[in-house]
Amino acid sequence: MTAPAGRGLEGVVASQTSLSFIDGLKGILMYRGYDIHDLAPNATFLESVFLLWNGKLPTQAELAGFEAELAAERALDPRTLDALRAVPSDTVPMAALRTGISLEGIFDPEGEDNSPEANQRKAKRLVARTPTMIGAIHRIRQGLTPLDPDPSLSLSADFVRMSNGEPGTDEAVAALDRTLLLYLDHGFNASTFACRVIAATLGDMHSAVTGGVGALKGSLHGGANAKAMETLLEIGELDNVEPWLEKAFEEKRKIMGFGHRVYKTEDPRATHLREMSKTLTEQAGLGKFYEMSRALEERMISQKGINPNVDFYCATVYYALGIPIDLYTPLFAMGRMGGWTAHIMEQHADNRLIRPRAEYVGEQNLPWVPIENR
Ligand code: COA
């Protein structure tokens, strides 16, 4: 048997993809060949989803058609809403989302159909309905009635309305939309790989993305954006950054929102989120959290050589937008849903079961002992 791969499959190239390209040493990320630095300031989230799914940028007419198609698919199955009402109000929103997505798979008329055409339609329903579901989960837990989607609004604007009850400003909606674009796809990250493993058994799309939500929920992956904000709140003040960090180093604590398996330099998504965090926290009168973030970043780089990842500055962007902390990771899922579904379609289009080997390190050939003699 060949030597085992590095722990956590570090450095292993598991398969091919033409969806996103990452150069972790140079800090490059591209969706379908387009640099994230060109997409982030210029494209919308759904424009990037179209790009990822179709391999080309949409024309104006194509984008308008795509947005309208998804807008018509935003409403959840009423039975999913009924089930979400039965979820205890203190349930972690990511757990409610995982359950809701799974239920949508049961109620989807094409739930068991893995044909490319059905997969495309299901992918549209999933991207269109995730914002509605997060909004419903948030309102139900506050004892409020979930709001019906308004197809005249953009996906991001409608999410804000369905979770807050009020439409956000154009600037807030654009900022939220940009975070979704930045979260859209990222090679074989843990949740996407989980989706691909499930899809490769010829599992259906909803099963695969349910697994993806479960993988994203953990704090070493998508859960880090919420944990990063909790860290900043725990630190509390700019003057406290240095002593807090010294103690954290002593205790060998992981600083959430820092470090990355692939990037050994600036995460290109963090470049945009840092800028957004600066502007939005200043506008919201929360500039101290940006200053604290900068101080934390400087110390992490100078003392440990570890850069912030996508989740670090996203935390203060969402905080400045007034989003509840436990909705940060569901928002990551809302963006990544476009990537997960793209990977499932790519996997199904050229499938082979994903089934690695394990190096067995346990005992062997032990003598059998009858139960009465143990
Ligand atoms: N805080 C403090 N030290 C960190 C760190 C962090 N966030 N991330 C990595 N390190 C240190 C490790 O302690 C380790 O040091 P050592 O060699 O002295 O033991 C070294 O850097 C390598 O880290 P390792 O845990 O092996 O890296 P990994 O590739 O397995 O893990 C992450 C990558 C992302 C899971 C890890 O950086 C992490 O836990 N980050 C915090 C969670 C997070 O932000 N996740 C979102 C990722 S987008």
Side-chain angles (χ1 to χ4, degrees), residues 289-329:
F289 288 103
Y290 175 76
E291 300 304 328
M292 284 163 56
S293 302
R294 289 292 289 157
L296 206 55
E297 175 180 11
E298 276 159 24
R299 299 230 154 251
M300 282 296 285
I301 292 175
S302 65
Q303 286 185 245
K304 294 275 175 187
I306 300 176
N307 292 85
N309 57 49
V310 65
D311 291 315
F312 186 60
Y313 283 102
C314 198
T316 38
V317 166
Y318 287 160
Y319 197 67
L321 292 175
I323 296 167
I325 295 174
D326 60 4
L327 292 189
Y328 295 5
T329 312

XYZ file of all heavy atoms in Angstrom, residues 289-329:
336
model
N -14.091 48.433 16.154
C -13.911 47.013 15.823
C -12.986 46.837 14.618
O -12.263 45.843 14.534
C -15.273 46.337 15.584
C -16.038 46.165 16.863
C -17.093 47.012 17.183
C -15.671 45.185 17.768
C -17.781 46.863 18.374
C -16.342 45.030 18.967
C -17.404 45.875 19.279
N -12.998 47.807 13.718
C -12.051 47.754 12.602
C -10.635 47.988 13.118
O -9.704 47.267 12.755
C -12.420 48.797 11.527
C -11.398 48.852 10.413
C -11.364 47.863 9.439
C -10.449 49.873 10.360
C -10.406 47.882 8.434
C -9.490 49.906 9.366
C -9.477 48.902 8.404
O -8.527 48.929 7.416
N -10.497 48.975 13.997
C -9.165 49.260 14.571
C -8.641 48.040 15.325
O -7.464 47.686 15.209
C -9.233 50.453 15.541
C -9.702 51.774 14.921
C -8.852 52.206 13.744
O -7.642 51.907 13.745
O -9.405 52.800 12.796
N -9.498 47.401 16.081
C -9.082 46.196 16.811
C -8.701 45.087 15.847
O -7.711 44.368 16.064
C -10.230 45.700 17.713
C -10.422 46.526 18.959
S -12.032 46.227 19.719
C -11.986 44.504 19.963
N -9.460 44.957 14.771
C -9.158 43.921 13.770
C -7.791 44.165 13.157
O -6.998 43.238 12.975
C -10.211 43.921 12.659
O -11.484 43.714 13.202
N -7.524 45.428 12.858
C -6.218 45.771 12.245
C -5.083 45.440 13.210
O -4.042 44.898 12.821
C -6.160 47.258 11.878
C -7.025 47.655 10.715
C -6.540 47.087 9.407
N -5.296 47.723 8.941
C -4.441 47.173 8.101
N -4.647 45.966 7.633
N -3.364 47.838 7.709
N -5.289 45.787 14.482
C -4.243 45.534 15.478
C -4.013 44.028 15.635
O -2.865 43.562 15.703
C -4.643 46.156 16.820
N -5.085 43.283 15.636
C -4.981 41.822 15.759
C -4.245 41.253 14.538
O -3.356 40.404 14.663
C -6.402 41.246 15.835
C -6.632 39.921 16.538
C -6.114 39.933 17.962
C -8.138 39.601 16.548
N -4.611 41.764 13.375
C -3.981 41.296 12.131
C -2.474 41.581 12.145
O -1.663 40.699 11.836
C -4.636 41.992 10.931
C -3.964 41.645 9.613
C -4.593 42.327 8.403
O -5.421 43.240 8.571
O -4.228 41.936 7.288
N -2.124 42.823 12.521
C -0.700 43.190 12.516
C 0.102 42.264 13.428
O 1.176 41.796 13.075
C -0.524 44.647 12.931
C -0.715 45.596 11.758
C -1.040 47.014 12.191
O -0.673 47.376 13.336
O -1.659 47.740 11.401
N -0.441 42.001 14.609
C 0.273 41.147 15.571
C 0.332 39.704 15.088
O 1.335 39.023 15.272
C -0.400 41.187 16.951
C -0.425 42.530 17.558
C 0.088 42.520 19.004
N 0.619 43.844 19.301
C 1.893 44.121 19.452
N 2.800 43.169 19.353
N 2.286 45.339 19.712
N -0.757 39.198 14.528
C -0.754 37.811 14.045
C 0.273 37.634 12.930
O 0.960 36.617 12.865
C -2.154 37.425 13.531
C -3.152 37.113 14.610
S -2.705 35.643 15.601
C -3.103 34.313 14.473
N 0.391 38.648 12.064
C 1.357 38.531 10.963
C 2.787 38.673 11.501
O 3.660 37.858 11.196
C 1.059 39.574 9.852
C -0.275 39.228 9.165
C 2.190 39.609 8.822
C -0.767 40.218 8.144
N 3.019 39.706 12.357
C 4.395 39.931 12.796
C 4.877 38.845 13.758
O 6.026 38.426 13.703
C 4.542 41.323 13.425
O 3.771 41.387 14.605
N 3.988 38.340 14.609
C 4.448 37.352 15.596
C 4.315 35.905 15.129
O 5.114 35.064 15.507
C 3.677 37.523 16.918
C 4.151 38.750 17.680
C 3.469 38.851 19.028
O 2.725 39.773 19.267
N 3.722 37.894 19.899
N 3.315 35.632 14.296
C 3.072 34.228 13.910
C 3.179 33.994 12.404
O 3.151 32.844 11.956
C 1.660 33.792 14.366
C 1.491 33.735 15.866
C 1.959 32.389 16.426
C 1.904 32.373 17.933
N 2.509 31.165 18.496
N 3.205 35.090 11.641
C 3.215 34.936 10.179
C 1.911 34.345 9.659
O 1.895 33.676 8.632
N 0.823 34.584 10.374
C -0.477 34.023 9.950
C -1.420 35.163 9.537
O -1.656 36.104 10.303
C -1.114 33.182 11.081
C -0.185 32.008 11.456
C -2.475 32.658 10.668
C -0.679 31.168 12.634
N -1.954 35.052 8.320
C -2.827 36.100 7.761
C -4.295 35.851 8.100
O -4.693 34.705 8.344
C -2.708 36.111 6.235
C -1.361 36.565 5.760
O -0.415 35.785 5.669
N -1.241 37.842 5.467
N -5.091 36.921 8.030
C -6.540 36.703 8.182
C -7.095 35.970 6.963
O -6.552 36.104 5.859
C -7.114 38.115 8.272
C -6.103 39.006 7.655
C -4.766 38.334 7.820
N -8.148 35.201 7.154
C -8.810 34.548 6.019
C -10.123 35.276 5.710
O -10.420 36.310 6.307
C -9.000 33.049 6.308
C -9.799 32.815 7.593
O -10.859 33.412 7.781
N -9.285 31.962 8.471
N -10.910 34.691 4.809
C -12.141 35.346 4.341
C -13.071 35.711 5.498
O -13.794 36.708 5.453
C -12.870 34.423 3.322
C -13.353 33.132 3.982
C -14.018 35.115 2.627
N -13.042 34.896 6.567
C -14.036 35.072 7.622
C -13.739 36.218 8.574
O -14.640 36.707 9.250
C -14.173 33.766 8.429
C -14.809 32.678 7.598
O -15.810 32.979 6.935
O -14.305 31.546 7.589
N -12.479 36.638 8.637
C -12.122 37.604 9.674
C -12.790 38.967 9.456
O -13.522 39.453 10.321
C -10.601 37.754 9.764
C -10.191 38.631 10.916
C -10.522 38.278 12.212
C -9.504 39.812 10.710
C -10.172 39.082 13.296
C -9.143 40.627 11.774
C -9.482 40.261 13.067
N -12.549 39.580 8.312
C -13.154 40.906 8.102
C -14.630 40.823 7.724
O -15.361 41.801 7.843
C -12.359 41.711 7.074
C -11.085 42.284 7.694
C -9.852 41.705 7.475
C -11.159 43.384 8.530
C -8.698 42.217 8.062
C -10.024 43.908 9.129
C -8.800 43.323 8.891
O -7.673 43.839 9.490
N -15.068 39.634 7.295
C -16.494 39.481 7.018
C -17.290 39.647 8.315
O -18.411 40.158 8.312
C -16.763 38.112 6.397
S -18.351 38.084 5.597
N -16.674 39.227 9.419
C -17.354 39.327 10.717
C -17.765 40.778 11.006
O -18.922 41.050 11.340
C -16.435 38.801 11.814
N -16.835 41.712 10.849
C -17.167 43.108 11.170
C -18.044 43.756 10.086
O -18.798 44.684 10.374
C -15.895 43.939 11.410
O -14.887 43.535 10.489
C -15.392 43.782 12.835
N -17.936 43.236 8.857
C -18.862 43.710 7.810
C -20.289 43.368 8.245
O -21.178 44.231 8.259
C -18.528 43.066 6.434
C -19.665 43.272 5.440
C -17.227 43.632 5.876
N -20.514 42.122 8.629
C -21.866 41.722 9.035
C -22.295 42.428 10.330
O -23.459 42.789 10.484
C -21.941 40.199 9.210
C -21.925 39.422 7.899
C -21.569 38.078 7.847
C -22.285 40.030 6.694
C -21.568 37.362 6.654
C -22.279 39.325 5.493
C -21.915 37.994 5.482
O -21.916 37.294 4.307
N -21.353 42.628 11.233
C -21.687 43.321 12.489
C -22.151 44.756 12.188
O -23.151 45.220 12.737
C -20.461 43.338 13.408
C -20.773 43.651 14.851
C -21.508 42.758 15.626
C -20.321 44.829 15.444
C -21.791 43.026 16.955
C -20.600 45.108 16.780
C -21.337 44.198 17.529
O -21.620 44.469 18.843
N -21.421 45.407 11.290
C -21.778 46.786 10.925
C -23.132 46.835 10.221
O -23.855 47.828 10.310
C -20.688 47.386 10.034
N -23.465 45.745 9.523
C -24.764 45.707 8.833
C -25.900 45.332 9.792
O -27.058 45.263 9.385
C -24.715 44.700 7.667
C -23.806 45.081 6.482
C -23.767 43.946 5.456
C -24.274 46.374 5.806
N -25.539 45.048 11.041
C -26.579 44.761 12.051
C -27.122 43.348 11.977
O -28.212 43.070 12.478
N -26.360 42.452 11.364
C -26.824 41.060 11.218
C -26.516 40.300 12.513
O -25.395 40.398 13.033
C -26.129 40.402 10.001
C -26.553 41.133 8.723
C -26.449 38.912 9.907
C -25.728 40.810 7.503
N -27.478 39.545 13.042
C -27.203 38.758 14.257
C -26.044 37.777 14.016
O -25.947 37.177 12.939
C -28.512 38.001 14.502
C -29.551 38.731 13.725
C -28.867 39.390 12.581
N -25.205 37.611 15.041
C -23.965 36.848 14.855
C -24.220 35.406 14.416
O -23.497 34.873 13.581
C -23.111 36.907 16.145
C -22.662 38.362 16.380
C -21.889 35.985 16.065
C -21.928 38.597 17.687
N -25.279 34.799 14.928
C -25.488 33.399 14.539
C -26.079 33.244 13.133
O -26.333 32.128 12.682
C -26.294 32.626 15.597
C -27.666 33.208 15.834
O -28.047 34.173 15.142
O -28.380 32.694 16.725
N -26.280 34.370 12.437
C -26.683 34.265 11.020
C -25.482 34.420 10.078
O -25.630 34.307 8.862
C -27.749 35.310 10.673
C -29.125 35.137 11.319
C -30.126 36.124 10.693
C -29.666 33.716 11.183
N -24.285 34.697 10.618
C -23.119 34.888 9.729
C -22.821 33.619 8.929
O -22.550 33.680 7.730
C -21.853 35.257 10.529
C -21.858 36.581 11.266
C -22.981 37.392 11.318
C -20.703 37.017 11.914
C -22.967 38.587 12.028
C -20.669 38.218 12.606
C -21.814 38.994 12.668
O -21.788 40.177 13.368
N -22.844 32.464 9.615
C -22.505 31.223 8.908
C -23.622 30.814 7.934
O -23.324 30.384 6.815
C -22.152 30.106 9.915
O -21.217 30.656 10.855
C -21.506 28.920 9.233
